[in-house]
Amino acid sequence: MNHLAEKYSEEIQAILAKYPADQKRSAVMPLLYLAQRESGYVTKTAMNEIAELLGITATEVASIVGFYSLYYDKPAGKYRIQVCTDLPCALRGAEEFLEKLCENLGIRVGETTPDGMVTVEHVMCLAACDKAPMFQVQSGEGLSYHENQTVESAMALIQSLKKGASHSNKDGHP
Amino acid sequence: MKVIRSLVLVSNDPRSVELGAEEVFRALHAEIRSQGLHDQVRIGTIGVVGEQQHLPLVMVYPEAVAYGPVTLDDVHLIVEEHLLKGQIVMSLLRFLQEPAGELAWLRTRSGALPVQQRIVLERAGIIDPYSLDDYLLHNGYTALGKALTSMTPEQIIDEVDQSGLQGRGGAGFPTGRKWGFVRAAPSHPKYIIANADESEPGTYKDRLIIEGDPFSLIEAMTIAAYAVGANEGFIYIRGEYRLAYQRLENAIRLAEEHGLLGDAIFGTDFTFHIHLHAGAGAYICGEETALIESLEGKRGQPRARPPYPPSYGLWGKPTLVNNVETLANIPAIIRHGSEWYRQFGTPSSRGTKVYTIMGNVNFTGAIEAPLGITLREVIEIYGKGMKHGRRLKLVQTGGSSGSIVPASLQDTPMDFESWRKAGASLGSGALLICDERTCVVDLAKVLLQFFRFESCAKCTPCRTGTQRLYQIVDAISKGHGALADLDELQQLGKDMELLSNCGLGQTASVALRDILKHFRDEVEEHILERKCRAGVCRIPALSPYEIAAAAATPSQAAIEEFEGSTESV
């Protein structure tokens, strides 16, 4: 049985309707977002289900997951903190910020805190170049930008995320 | 009759939203209503591009007063004191030192900042981006009305062509000609795509355009669709642009509800639908054929060209792909005519450009100015001078794939033609201003790190070339370089430029090439003197072993002597 198709049948129909009937494959990206919202990452089962929905192979779906950096095929911390360290951000101290943040959390870039809550990653340009250090937080709750950060403000945010305190951007990701 | 006395704007940039701006907005809205002021006070949102303290901000016009940080507890006070009694709430008053972007535009009316010429951003920060009524009140949809009721598709294309508008995504191709190609393509159906996959580091103009004025993109696409003969359009938007996505979603829904999009637009028989498609974090998808592949549900890898998208694009059909900023110029061109548009800019480059200013200047943010202003003007007038009075060293223009412009070129007018002659490219309009503390080797390293990550790995010159360039520059930055490396960098860069499949590999070495052209001595210093004059690269002193090894290296003469002696044995 196709879990995604059953649970989200309306949403899936709306996604498929955007593209010509003979070009269903185009819906792979929005469907992957949907699957990722469901589990925090794209599971093998979800890849199979999406493949079935679109009439392509699971391998083809996996190749899309692998190509784009916003899709994940492995679980990580509940919150992914993604710091931009591109040139304009680096000039505003993003690299040092990332280093100190990791130090504070006791992990290295790419690792997850022992409690499984936070993974810190570095990413390419997020188009908030004049407001570095900045990062986005990605989770099942969606995606939010946090600009002009200090290690202190980031740690405070992490504390509130860990406590499950409400944070403002709860909308689903496109 | 309703007379609007005051305009209240609540900042809604991501940071403000995080700090509760949406709650403040709703509370203000409710309070204004409960005080019976809703016929006299208009409330909207503003994207604060520059101000970073005191968020969330509440601005009240016409007094141009800024309050912040505003919490829910302050809402009652602001409404009662300021809006009802007309008294400024001194305790919350903030004097903004460096207003930028949308905020700066509002300040220009009081002369605080130089007036920018706004075409693309004419409504950003003025209207509520969620309100179609607001858009209509500010000349929204007059261009589409004019186009659909009094112009033929050919006349529209001609008008765009005459305006001299060139693509704002980086390449600068004449827009009218591109439209003409798509119109003339024999096969059907035709598609149009707005390229909002803005991923060039340092570039965030399209995000600001969409966040500030989402309806203008919808209107422009509809005009373009009518002109080229398309009934279906897509906006391919960066996956990271959540706020922009939501605003477009809202704008599309409202336009459809009001008969401005969908079937029978303006009561004519013209039909046009727009769909949103979110990218997922791949720089390469900004390249138009990679974008099309991605939209087709494949890995975003560029196609071999020709054929170009106007003849063979999405699903093999004629497709118009335009950058967001390019499209955002269209409604004004149709409304005022090409003659009007041609008064801005220079003979080779008409119109305005949105620049994003970053780096070591006092003011960072977005501005819109006529093409042809100089870097010196950007730095002195809009950037309010170099930070701490330091000396300008270089400017990187157009993001990672752009040029490195030395300080000596800062008086060259920034238009497509003049910069091409100077060997630079205007690109996306990103201006990264660097002072003397910037190390060119380090700069090249960070840029190449970007390219080696973002190469889509389809073609070898780019896949291995970007890795190799990075390795060499990394070695130089650590004191392990040799002079011969510079030749290799240059040769490899040239090879990549010639052999790579798309713009990514072709431009990955541009900055490096410029650095070796303008700052070669500084790179050589890293190699020969193990010195980084900017003090950025940490080159370790030679270890005793390395000094001994260097001293023990036999000279060329000694080697020849040795070889001679072995031969004779």
Side-chain angles (χ1 to χ4, degrees):
Chain A
M1 90 172 205
N2 197 316
H3 169 73
L4 281 178
E6 277 181 22
K7 187 166 174 189
Y8 296 103
S9 88
E10 250 177 57
E11 202 174 327
I12 291 174
Q13 284 317 310
I15 290 171
L16 290 173
K18 288 183 179 181
Y19 311 96
D22 57 345
Q23 302 291 351
K24 276 205 298 200
R25 180 187 180 131
S26 285
V28 66
M29 291 176 72
L31 290 180
L32 283 170
Y33 274 126
L34 190 144
Q36 190 156 285
R37 201 175 69 206
E38 174 75 6
S39 317
Y41 71 105
V42 187
T43 62
K44 278 249 152 61
T45 319
M47 287 189 213
N48 286 324
E49 290 174 350
I50 291 172
E52 190 189 323
L53 278 166
L54 301 180
I56 55 178
T57 67
T59 311
E60 285 173 297
V61 177
S63 84
I64 304 293
V65 174
F67 186 82
Y68 297 94
S69 54
L70 289 181
Y71 299 130
Y72 307 100
D73 57 1
K74 285 186 192 65
K78 186 168 178 209
Y79 298 98
R80 288 175 189 267
I81 297 205
Q82 303 178 313
V83 184
C84 173
T85 52
D86 268 343
L87 185 54
C89 286
L91 281 175
R92 291 177 61 100
E95 286 173 322
E96 200 191 342
F97 167 81
L98 178 62
E99 200 177 299
K100 291 248 167 70
L101 181 66
C102 285
E103 219 170 83
N104 260 269
L105 291 168
I107 54 174
R108 280 177 299 189
V109 177
E111 292 180 345
T112 304
T113 51
D115 60 3
M117 290 299 278
V118 172
T119 305
V120 177
E121 297 167 327
H122 77 87
V123 293
M124 298 298 153
C125 186
L126 296 175
C129 317
D130 55 337
K131 289 171 185 159
M134 67 82 59
F135 55 80
Q136 62 181 4
V137 178
Q138 248 194 305
S139 70
E141 293 158 20
L143 185 152
S144 59
Y145 271 33
H146 301 269
E147 300 167 332
N148 294 309
Q149 292 289 307
T150 61
V151 174
E152 292 71 36
S153 66
M155 287 305 290
L157 175 78
I158 289 169
Q159 286 312 319
S160 75
L161 288 176
K162 282 185 173 180
K163 274 191 219 134
S166 80
H167 82 120
S168 54
N169 295 294
K170 287 224 164 127
D171 322 55
H173 187 276
Chain B
M1 193 185 103
K2 284 209 274 187
V3 178
I4 302 293
R5 281 193 303 121
S6 294
L7 171 67
V8 178
L9 297 175
V10 183
S11 64
N12 71 341
D13 57 296
R15 179 75 183 142
S16 293
V17 170
E18 191 190 319
L19 294 169
E22 286 175 359
E23 291 76 11
V24 168
F25 181 91
R26 279 195 288 274
L28 272 168
H29 196 270
E31 184 72 20
I32 288 166
R33 190 158 273 277
S34 78
Q35 298 270 11
L37 294 169
H38 50 282
D39 279 349
Q40 303 165 36
V41 179
R42 177 181 287 280
I43 179 164
T45 56
I46 182 168
V48 180
V49 187
E51 179 68 20
Q52 291 159 8
Q53 293 154 355
H54 318 306
L55 299 175
L57 284 176
V58 172
M59 313 275 298
V60 184
Y61 288 86
E63 296 89 339
V65 162
Y67 295 124
V70 176
T71 66
L72 287 177
D73 298 337
D74 304 324
V75 165
H76 177 73
L77 196 64
I78 292 175
V79 173
E80 188 164 286
E81 289 297 312
H82 192 145
L83 298 177
L84 201 63
K85 299 184 190 162
Q87 289 168 356
I88 287 171
V89 186
M90 296 308 285
S91 60
L92 289 170
L93 188 61
R94 294 286 172 254
F95 294 99
L96 306 179
Q97 292 305 312
E98 292 176 13
E102 296 171 17
L103 213 51
W105 193 91
L106 292 169
R107 289 285 290 258
T108 58
R109 285 189 268 190
S110 56
L113 270 172
V115 178
Q116 303 175 27
Q117 181 56 49
R118 291 223 168 186
I119 295 174
V120 168
L121 292 170
E122 70 174 317
R123 281 176 287 255
I126 310 278
I127 63 163
D128 174 359
Y130 289 100
S131 164
L132 177 61
D133 290 347
D134 240 18
Y135 182 69
L136 293 171
L137 278 173
H138 290 82
N139 297 317
Y141 279 106
T142 47
L144 181 64
K146 181 176 173 188
L148 287 183
T149 56
S150 69
M151 295 171 84
T152 64
E154 288 77 11
Q155 282 171 328
I156 294 171
I157 293 175
D158 194 47
E159 196 72 52
V160 173
D161 197 39
Q162 289 299 314
S163 75
L165 177 65
Q166 288 160 281
R168 300 291 195 247
F173 191 82
T175 307
R177 269 175 64 200
K178 206 188 230 184
W179 288 25
F181 293 154
V182 180
R183 170 123 201 117
S187 105
H188 289 276
K190 293 172 185 176
Y191 295 102
I192 84 165
I193 300 174
N195 184 347
D197 191 51
E198 175 178 59
S199 314
E200 191 67 78
T203 310
Y204 46 95
K205 64 187 179 67
D206 296 341
R207 176 164 75 84
L208 297 182
I209 293 169
I210 296 172
E211 286 180 2
D213 194 6
F215 296 100
S216 72
L217 178 60
I218 309 287
E219 181 180 2
M221 284 177 76
T222 314
I223 295 169
Y226 173 68
V228 304
N231 301 109
E232 209 81 35
F234 290 88
I235 301 174
Y236 188 104
I237 182 165
R238 273 192 84 169
E240 290 88 343
Y241 285 6
R242 189 187 62 95
L243 187 63
Y245 188 100
Q246 287 170 347
R247 290 187 175 178
L248 281 172
E249 210 169 29
N250 176 69
I252 290 172
R253 185 180 52 79
L254 287 176
E256 281 172 348
E257 282 172 12
H258 289 79
L260 300 166
L261 187 65
D263 298 326
I265 297 172
F266 267 94
T268 65
D269 57 2
F270 175 57
T271 297
F272 180 57
H273 294 275
I274 296 179
H275 310 286
L276 287 170
H277 186 99
Y283 167 76
I284 188 61
C285 290
E287 195 281 334
E288 59 181 10
T289 62
L291 184 153
I292 288 171
E293 288 282 299
S294 177
L295 194 46
E296 291 184 356
K298 301 172 192 157
R299 295 161 74 90
Q301 295 178 317
R303 296 174 176 171
R305 284 146 298 151
Y308 292 92
S311 55
Y312 188 90
L314 185 60
W315 301 308
K317 301 297 178 189
T319 304
L320 173 71
V321 186
N322 273 153
N323 170 264
V324 169
E325 187 187 349
T326 314
L327 286 165
N329 278 286
I330 298 296
I333 291 174
I334 297 300
R335 218 163 70 221
H336 301 294
S338 55
E339 268 309 305
W340 169 85
Y341 191 80
R342 290 171 68 84
Q343 68 179 297
F344 306 107
T346 65
S348 74
S349 309
R350 303 293 185 180
T352 61
K353 180 83 196 74
V354 180
Y355 297 102
T356 44
I357 310 177
M358 288 148 301
N360 311 126
V361 281
N362 286 315
F363 166 106
T364 59
I367 61 157
E368 181 175 349
L371 280 156
I373 60 169
T374 64
L375 269 180
R376 190 189 296 277
E377 285 170 312
V378 167
I379 293 167
E380 293 308 322
I381 301 175
Y382 301 100
K384 291 181 152 187
M386 298 293 294
K387 225 173 197 165
H388 309 298
R390 291 204 177 89
R391 214 164 42 87
L392 173 71
K393 180 170 185 172
L394 58 90
V395 178
Q396 188 185 30
T397 66
S400 285
S401 63
S403 317
I404 301 286
V405 178
S408 58
L409 287 176
Q410 62 176 313
D411 291 312
T412 312
M414 289 197 288
D415 60 54
F416 294 105
E417 184 71 15
S418 310
W419 275 44
R420 205 171 294 143
K421 275 186 195 151
S425 77
L426 203 51
S428 59
L431 298 173
L432 181 64
I433 293 154
C434 301
D435 65 24
E436 56 214 346
R437 293 170 311 158
T438 310
C439 168
V440 291
V441 174
D442 185 58
L443 190 109
K445 194 167 114 176
V446 181
L447 290 171
L448 291 166
Q449 164 68 11
F450 175 81
F451 282 114
R452 74 179 186 141
F453 181 86
E454 292 291 355
S455 170
C456 85
K458 181 174 177 171
C459 70
T460 315
C462 176
R463 181 178 62 241
T464 50
T466 50
Q467 296 290 348
R468 185 70 193 130
L469 288 179
Y470 176 82
Q471 284 170 356
I472 298 173
V473 173
D474 184 49
I476 294 174
S477 77
K478 290 174 177 153
H480 304 309
L483 276 186
D485 289 343
L486 303 188
D487 298 331
E488 191 187 342
L489 286 176
Q490 242 153 357
Q491 188 56 48
L492 185 54
K494 261 184 218 153
D495 292 346
M496 287 168 65
E497 204 177 321
L498 287 170
L499 300 173
S500 296
N501 189 31
C502 81
L504 194 153
Q506 288 160 11
T507 58
S509 60
V510 166
L512 190 65
R513 179 198 67 198
D514 291 349
I515 285 171
L516 289 175
K517 183 171 157 196
H518 301 295
F519 300 96
R520 195 183 176 101
D521 52 334
E522 202 179 320
V523 181
E524 286 182 356
E525 248 172 40
H526 281 72
I527 297 169
L528 298 174
E529 299 172 39
R530 302 173 64 82
K531 182 178 134 193
C532 174
R533 65 170 85 163
V536 177
C537 301
R538 295 170 201 160
I539 305 178
L542 286 180
S543 67
Y545 168 78
E546 285 168 314
I547 294 170
T553 306
S555 66
Q556 192 59 35
I559 293 171
E560 277 163 19
E561 196 181 323
F562 174 75
E563 283 172 346
S565 68
T566 49
E567 251 171 26
S568 67
V569 170

